Amino acid sequence: VPSPPGTHVPAGARRQVTAGQLRERGNALFQAGDHAAALAAYTQALGLCDGEPERAVLHRNRAACYLKLEDYAKAEADASKAIEADGRDMKALFRRSQALQKLGRLDQAVSDLQRCVSLEPKNKAFQEALRALGSSMHEKMKTMSCTDSKVAQMFQILLDPEEKDADKKQKAAQNLIVLAREEAGAEKIFQSDGVRLLTQLLDTVKADLMLAALRTLVGLCSGHRSRTMAILAELGAPRLSAVLGVEHEQVSLAACNLLHVMFDSLKEGLQKDFRGKEDAVVLDSSKDLKLLIKHLLELLALEGASAHGRDNALNLLIKVVPRKSPKETNNSMSLWVIDQGLKKILEVGSTVCGTPGSLPVTENSRMSASVLLSKLYDDLKCDAERENFHHLCEDYVRSWFEGHELAGKLRAIQTVSCLLQGPSDAGNRVLELEGIMDSVLSLCASVCEAHQLVAVEALIHAADKAKRASFITANGVSLLKEIYKHSERDSIRIRALVGLCKLGSAGGTDFSMKQFAEGSTMKLAKQCRKWLCNETIDAGTRRWAVEGLAYLTFDADVKEEFVEDKAAMQAMFHLAKSEDRSVLYAVASTLVNCTNSYDHEEPDPQMLELAKYAKQHIPEQHPKDKPDFVKRRVRKLLTAGVVSALACMVKSENPALTNSCRELISRVFLALVEEADDRGGVVAQGGGKALIPLSLEGTEVGQTKAAQALAKITITSNPEMAFPGERIYEVVRPLVSLLHLQRTGLENFEGLMALTNLAGISERLRQKILKEKAVPMIEGYMFEEHELIRLAATECMCNMAMSKEVQELFLAEDSDRLKLMVLYSGEEDEKLRRAASGTLAMLTALHPAICKRIPQVTVHWLEILQALLLSPSTELQHRGAVVVMNMMAAEREVAEQLMASEMLEILSVLAKDKDKS
């Protein structure tokens, strides 16, 4: 392990460790039961060892470690390397047989044990192991035979048209699903002609049987590429696509889940394949992937497909087509989908409900199409690819706009709306096409409600795009006002209102930039709240009231009135929990505005003076956006039940929960936990649970905000109560992410404080922190100039030092970790001294070798220990006394050095001092 930055190790202080010494150290660690440390020592020795016999012994020893650590695949690999060097190595053969037995390869395990017995016939351990394994194989054969008959029996019950016992059928279906979840069971179903029989269940077109078949197929395909390819060949992509498009919602969802598992298995490869020979087979699944995607794209434009089937197809395409990370260089799948299916996606996005020949869609379909288009556009890497995307969109819009009369114009305008909500660059491009904007404005005055709805929505989506806002302010405001005042339909008026809200909020949070006359914004907001609370209006229309508030709540007066209106807040939270997920972004935006959790930097006073001198515009903060007002608004939102609404929003699997939407929710959560007194309530209503997925997926900013909120909760709450059960281990990774160098000092500090709390709870948590590679980062912050960060890192290291692996780091002779702890024990900052001396007290009690090394790391060791004993703090005195006691007991030479100093005199004075007993 390299020395921490900023330290110096004197020449000659390092010594070369040999492979033999490392092997001996590994043996000692193995005997002591520290198998992970023993493995590390043997691995290090392998790096220094050239001789084949010595390497074979080290591989054999590593196999023993892996067996103890239950990593049987690696145990088998290491034992095999030892056997390659010496085929008569009985220890290696025996260890490989143990590993093979655990991996389920019993025939190979028997072969190795038979070899052991032939090499040493009188060894009773070998004979007993062989007898036990033979018995185990007999049991397995018996079980497999029993499983064979059970599988056949289950299929017989399910496929028998004469069987009328519904409970019996349900039990058989459940047993089949459970059996398929285990690898052995899944393989048995597969080998027992199961796929053909499951196909028959699908073809019955009975919902319960179809569900049983689909859920069983999930078990068969999960993580197993070769089996997935065979199942896909048998079932056929057209059949799977047809099942996805059925009217029965649960069946469609189950088919969607199966297809998602198939995509993952085809992409990821062999995860659960235990058949050794298959590793050598190269399986090309790219054709199967494209075949499935091709049928999903065809389903989008298929008139006979159900609305939720179409939504499920869009959701699948969103999940499986675009690259997961920009680090992946291959975006060929997105390019292929754009070329083959962009027009089919636009078919969904351009659907005008209620018109002849329109596709069946849900309230979420067009939003899902917009999200998919946006993700495909974002996945493009160069201008040429983006230009191709633009041309395809423009060709599609023209194909409807030119020569299709009014119906075609409506489809074209609906496409523009879809693109503006998704890849807005493409939306702006098609908006510039000749005649489009004129048609939008003219159709806004249409007497037909459906036509007017399409046009007004397009105008609204265009209004918040900077490129068109000034044009629409000049041409559209009077039109929208006219519609708002005179239309008799609430559905139209509410949309016109949103358009006015968007245009009226162009100044954002800048109090001095108001688009409309004084009081107009408040009137618009009041009308939005009124519509939001009116339950006689359908949810799809009320959603637009939230859209309006998302813009109007830039104004602090509107925020204040909104949080005073409990009915409006609860109506919005109720919508956030509804089936219409397209409202999520508007709800999250409104809450970000109310909690002031958007980014805002304090302007530099000197720059302000320069701006005034140059007569430039200076943004002004509204008086009601000051911290006291924000705190009161947060409290009112908490009382109204905002946390349960946010938790419900996070659970959504809908594409409307985009990464930017997740970021907004993370920002709100961070604002809600700002005050320590509020954190318990946030956790009690499900906030802690909701923050974990937010901290692991989404934009980098969103993940960081969620991680910081988790840190704040972990610092002031009991982590075991805030994150019960296994959830506490999921919190570690987000907290470690706060230690990265690109994070702010406050984020670093809160991450360290939270990890300190977790590290003090259990060894399993400390192991999780070690696994996330946090220790080098914690060490780095021990050199931080900021005293609070340095202290937090030292306290964290103090708790981490309870782990053997961390103690080993302090024992390493080529590092200055111990020196740093001794020096910090002599610093002026009492809290830093307490943390460092506490670490020394623990280390010296556990490792006598550390006691011997303390006098070698710094010449100031004696005066530092004396200063601890002479400190006015009883805690520091106690820590100093423990260190001195441990050093006295460790080695005679160290004890003599202590006795030769003034230490005995100081200890005598302390012992006589009754006040400090």
Side-chain angles (χ1 to χ4, degrees), residues 624-687:
K624 290 180 183 175
D625 270 334
K626 289 183 178 172
D628 287 346
F629 283 92
V630 176
K631 278 182 195 174
R632 279 199 293 272
R633 290 202 292 266
V634 166
R635 285 279 161 86
K636 282 170 182 169
L637 286 166
L638 285 166
T639 307
V642 66
V643 177
S644 61
L646 289 170
C648 189
M649 287 162 73
V650 173
K651 285 179 194 170
S652 169
E653 282 293 316
N654 196 278
L657 188 68
T658 57
N659 286 342
S660 51
C661 186
R662 296 170 78 93
E663 181 186 315
L664 294 178
I665 296 170
S666 298
R667 287 175 180 277
V668 177
F669 266 124
L670 184 56
L672 297 177
V673 298
E674 188 60 41
E675 297 296 313
D677 292 345
D678 297 331
R679 292 169 194 169
V682 170
V683 170
Q685 292 175 60

Side-chain angles (χ1 to χ4, degrees), residues 683-857:
V683 170
Q685 292 175 60
K689 184 180 178 181
L691 278 164
I692 294 171
L694 288 171
S695 67
L696 296 171
E697 189 183 341
T699 66
E700 191 174 349
V701 171
Q703 288 183 60
T704 305
K705 300 281 182 194
Q708 196 180 357
L710 285 171
K712 286 179 187 290
I713 291 168
T714 310
I715 291 165
T716 56
S717 311
N718 177 349
E720 290 174 290
M721 289 180 70
F723 309 106
E726 291 297 303
R727 205 174 295 154
I728 196 168
Y729 302 100
E730 295 176 50
V731 175
V732 173
R733 182 172 295 172
L735 295 180
V736 172
S737 74
L738 293 175
L739 305 188
H740 294 148
L741 290 173
Q742 64 267 39
R743 305 285 176 258
T744 65
L746 178 62
E747 288 162 357
N748 298 154
F749 174 69
E750 290 181 333
L752 288 163
M753 292 271 286
L755 287 168
T756 302
N757 276 4
L758 292 184
I761 292 172
S762 71
E763 179 57 24
R764 190 180 163 196
L765 272 167
R766 289 190 287 276
Q767 288 298 323
K768 177 69 175 167
I769 294 168
L770 277 163
K771 192 177 176 184
E772 293 296 336
K773 300 185 173 132
V775 170
M777 290 188 274
I778 297 166
E779 283 186 322
Y781 286 113
M782 288 173 70
F783 295 90
E784 178 65 44
E785 285 182 24
H786 197 291
E787 57 186 30
L788 286 176
I789 295 177
R790 187 169 68 237
L791 168 64
T794 309
E795 287 178 336
C796 192
M797 185 57 75
C798 178
N799 282 355
M800 286 301 296
M802 288 188 268
S803 283
K804 283 183 182 177
E805 287 89 336
V806 179
Q807 292 163 20
E808 287 284 328
L809 298 175
F810 283 93
L811 284 165
E813 294 189 14
D814 58 348
S815 111
D816 279 358
R817 294 183 181 89
L818 184 59
K819 178 180 180 179
L820 187 66
M821 281 298 175
V822 176
L823 292 174
Y824 276 2
S825 299
E827 283 283 313
E828 289 181 16
D829 184 337
E830 187 178 317
K831 287 182 178 177
L832 183 63
R833 290 175 78 191
R834 201 184 304 155
S837 56
T839 309
L840 283 181
M842 179 172 55
L843 290 171
T844 52
L846 293 167
H847 296 281
I850 283 178
C851 299
K852 298 173 194 174
R853 285 195 59 217
I854 286 175
Q856 299 164 18
V857 294

